[in-house]
């Protein structure tokens, strides 16, 4: 879901970043006050319309939802069995809507713009000791490092499987920790070498 | 010109550099040596990432102990693993990072980022997530992110170790054509042979300092 910006000329892309983030926050909160499956269905349809307006390919939408599908089905099934299908549909719909809206924002907003918006948005907290520059760099690094860490996990798993170690949390955790710490060391060197100066 | 004057460095009790005296004025200098001989430590001393325990390191007369910030602007650094030097999620953003740290105006940042992307064939990948680039492209990005800052010297610490043959050649080509003064640490002897001067380190000392053919022969003999 992260770092997947797709460039298009669209009003959704051009919409100011700060407002996009604010709208996402409002929508995500508001969702929990909506219980009617019909209303949630309408919101879903509206969101899909926004995807179309943003000229994003159907594949982009499916790509966001696919990993979630088992969870959605399970949520629906459990709630439908114990509470009723309306509740089940509403819960599953809400989660789908949340992921779609968040994806819509990440797909149509450059991470750097989001980070800049955050930096500006947090500027007023400076007197309270919040360093907006640091927060935004941390966010950028997090987005950047998620795929790197996932690769690392894969690599360690593979190396262990090759030596006959099957899934063991400890066997994964220890080398992961060691490697991550070494990575953090190198990263801080790299930040420093490129003139980063936290202030 | 970079000068090291009787430089010593230790990690804890262990002395890793034991009195290095060097004056580096050539456009292409390479450093070779076995694992743990102190090459990376030496490299990190050149731009003030590490400060010597004894002795001095001078870059165009500036002591790394004094104005570390000014020294870092002069000496760019490319590390072995591009994954730990790319800090922003996408190509153009990452190149812009160092320029933002210099607090340059937005339009100048944009102009310089565009120019360097064009130079390294990264323009079509400008909004790509860095993790979708190939290993060679990632290293190109790491190099571009350093060169965009226009350093007078570039230190490369094993820039091709993780790359396949084709990408190794590509990066070698980039280094060959750099207008800057380059200091190259590498185990790739073909690449090292292109330097004007080759320094061999062993257990924290300079044991050979010569033209490539002679220095490499010395190094290979030591290894054997
Ligand atoms: N941060 C550190 N703390 C403690 N010891 C270190 C540290 N960095 C390096 N060393 C040790 O110092 C010695 C020299 O390390 P250095 O990285 O400079 O060698 P190198 O010549 O670059 O080796 P390689 O070819 O493996 O990259 C090694 O024995 C290493 O284990
Ligand atoms: Mg090294």
């Amino acid at each position: 879901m992260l770092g997947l910006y797709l460039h298009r000329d669209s009003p959704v892309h051009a919409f100011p970043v700060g407002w996009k983030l604010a709208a996402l926050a409002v929508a995500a909160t508001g969702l929990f006050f909506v219980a009617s499956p019909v209303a949630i269905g309408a919101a879903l349809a509206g969101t899909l319309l926004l995807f179309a307006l943003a000229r994003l390919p159907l594949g982009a939408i499916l790509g966001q939802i696919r990993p979630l599908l088992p969870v959605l089905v399970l949520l629906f099934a459990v709630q439908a069995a114990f509470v009723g299908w309306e509740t089940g549909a509403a819960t599953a719909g809400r989660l789908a809507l949340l992921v779609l809206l968040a994806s819509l924002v990440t797909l149509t907003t450059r991470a750097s713009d989001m980070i800049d918006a955050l930096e500006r948005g947090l500027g007023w907290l400076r007197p309270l000791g919040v360093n907006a520059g640091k927060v935004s760099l941390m966010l950028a690094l997090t987005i950047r490092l998620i795929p790197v860490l996932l690769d690392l996990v894969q690599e360690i798993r593979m190396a262990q499987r090759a030596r006959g170690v099957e899934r063991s949390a400890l066997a994964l955790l220890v080398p992961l920790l060691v490697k991550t710490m070494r990575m953090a060391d190198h990263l801080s060197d790299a930040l420093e070498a490129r003139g980063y100066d936290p202030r | 010109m970079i000068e090291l004057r009787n430089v010593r460095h230790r990690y804890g009790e262990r002395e890793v550099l034991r009195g290095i005296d060097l004056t580096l004025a050539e456009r292409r200098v390479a450093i070779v040596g076995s694992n743990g001989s102190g090459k990376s430590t030496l490299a990190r001393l050149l731009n003030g990432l590490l400060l010597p325990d004894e002795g001095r390191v001078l870059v165009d007369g500036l002591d790394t102990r004094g104005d570390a910030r000014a020294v870092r602007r002069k000496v760019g650094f490319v590390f072995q693993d591009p994954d730990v030097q790319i800090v922003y999620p996408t190509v153009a953003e990452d190149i812009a990072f160092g320029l933002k740290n210099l607090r340059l105006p937005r339009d100048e940042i944009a102009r310089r980022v565009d120019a360097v992307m064009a130079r390294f064939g990264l323009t079509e990948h400008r909004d790509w997530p860095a993790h979708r680039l190939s290993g060679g492209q990632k290293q190109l990005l790491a190099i571009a992110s350093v060169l965009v800052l226009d350093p007078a010297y570039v230190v490369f610490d094993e820039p091709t170790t993780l790359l396949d043959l084709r990408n190794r050649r590509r990066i070698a080509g980039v280094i060959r054509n750099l207008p800057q003064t380059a200091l190259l640490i590498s185990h790739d002897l073909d690449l090292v042979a292109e330097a004007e001067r080759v320094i061999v380190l062993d257990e924290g000392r300079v044991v050979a300092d010569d033209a490539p053919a002679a220095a490499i022969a010395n190094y290979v003999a030591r290894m054997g």
Side-chain angles (χ1 to χ4, degrees), chain A residues 3 110 112 144 194 197 199, chain B residues 69 83 93-94 103 127:
Chain A
R110 285 198 176 93
S112 61
R144 158 77 190 117
R194 280 163 74 191
D197 176 24
R199 248 171 313 150
Chain B
R69 174 164 285 268
D83 264 332
E93 293 164 356
D94 189 64
R103 292 166 209 281
D127 290 317

Side-chain angles (χ1 to χ4, degrees), chain B residues 39-41 44 80 157-158 185 187:
Chain B
K39 304 180 298 295
S40 296
T41 305
R44 282 171 160 71
Q80 175 178 349
D157 191 355
E158 301 194 33
I185 294 170
H187 294 292

Side-chain angles (χ1 to χ4, degrees), chain B residues 121-136:
Chain B
L122 290 167
T123 305
E124 59 178 310
H125 303 304
R126 69 167 299 137
D127 290 317
W128 271 41
H131 69 268
R132 293 212 343 239
L133 299 175
S134 73

Side-chain angles (χ1 to χ4, degrees), chain B residues 70-81:
Chain B
V71 169
R72 266 179 219 146
R73 285 184 68 162
K74 280 182 179 288
V75 186
F77 206 121
V78 176
F79 299 81
Q80 175 178 349
D81 183 356

Side-chain angles (χ1 to χ4, degrees), chain A residues 40-186:
Chain A
I40 289 174
L44 267 172
T47 305
L48 293 183
L49 216 64
L50 285 176
F51 268 86
L53 191 65
R55 300 170 51 199
L56 294 171
L58 194 64
I61 310 175
L62 293 178
Q64 304 302 314
I65 283 293
R66 194 176 305 125
L68 206 66
L69 221 50
V71 181
L72 289 177
V73 171
L74 195 74
L75 259 181
F76 175 74
V78 171
Q79 299 225 8
F82 292 102
V83 192
W85 74 266
E86 289 100 336
T87 316
T91 311
R94 242 186 234 136
L95 185 60
L97 197 51
L98 211 57
V99 171
L100 282 176
L101 282 171
S103 309
L104 183 67
V105 173
T106 47
L107 284 166
T108 62
T109 316
R110 285 198 176 93
S112 61
D113 290 342
M114 223 181 302
I115 291 158
D116 281 351
L118 192 83
E119 199 164 342
R120 267 180 279 120
L122 291 178
W124 61 278
L125 288 174
R126 177 138 209 150
L128 298 178
V130 177
N131 183 333
K134 262 193 207 171
V135 174
S136 67
L137 178 68
M138 225 155 63
L139 181 71
L141 272 174
T142 308
I143 297 174
R144 158 77 190 117
L145 289 179
I146 287 170
V148 178
L149 289 177
L150 288 178
D151 282 353
L152 201 56
V153 170
Q154 287 289 327
E155 205 177 284
I156 295 171
R157 276 240 170 91
M158 220 110 78
Q160 294 185 334
R161 216 169 289 152
R163 280 178 288 158
V165 182
E166 279 309 319
R167 291 178 181 258
S168 144
L170 195 66
L172 180 65
L173 209 62
V174 174
L176 187 63
L177 217 63
V178 171
K179 286 213 174 196
T180 317
M181 267 153 47
R182 193 172 311 147
M183 236 169 86
D185 235 25
H186 286 299

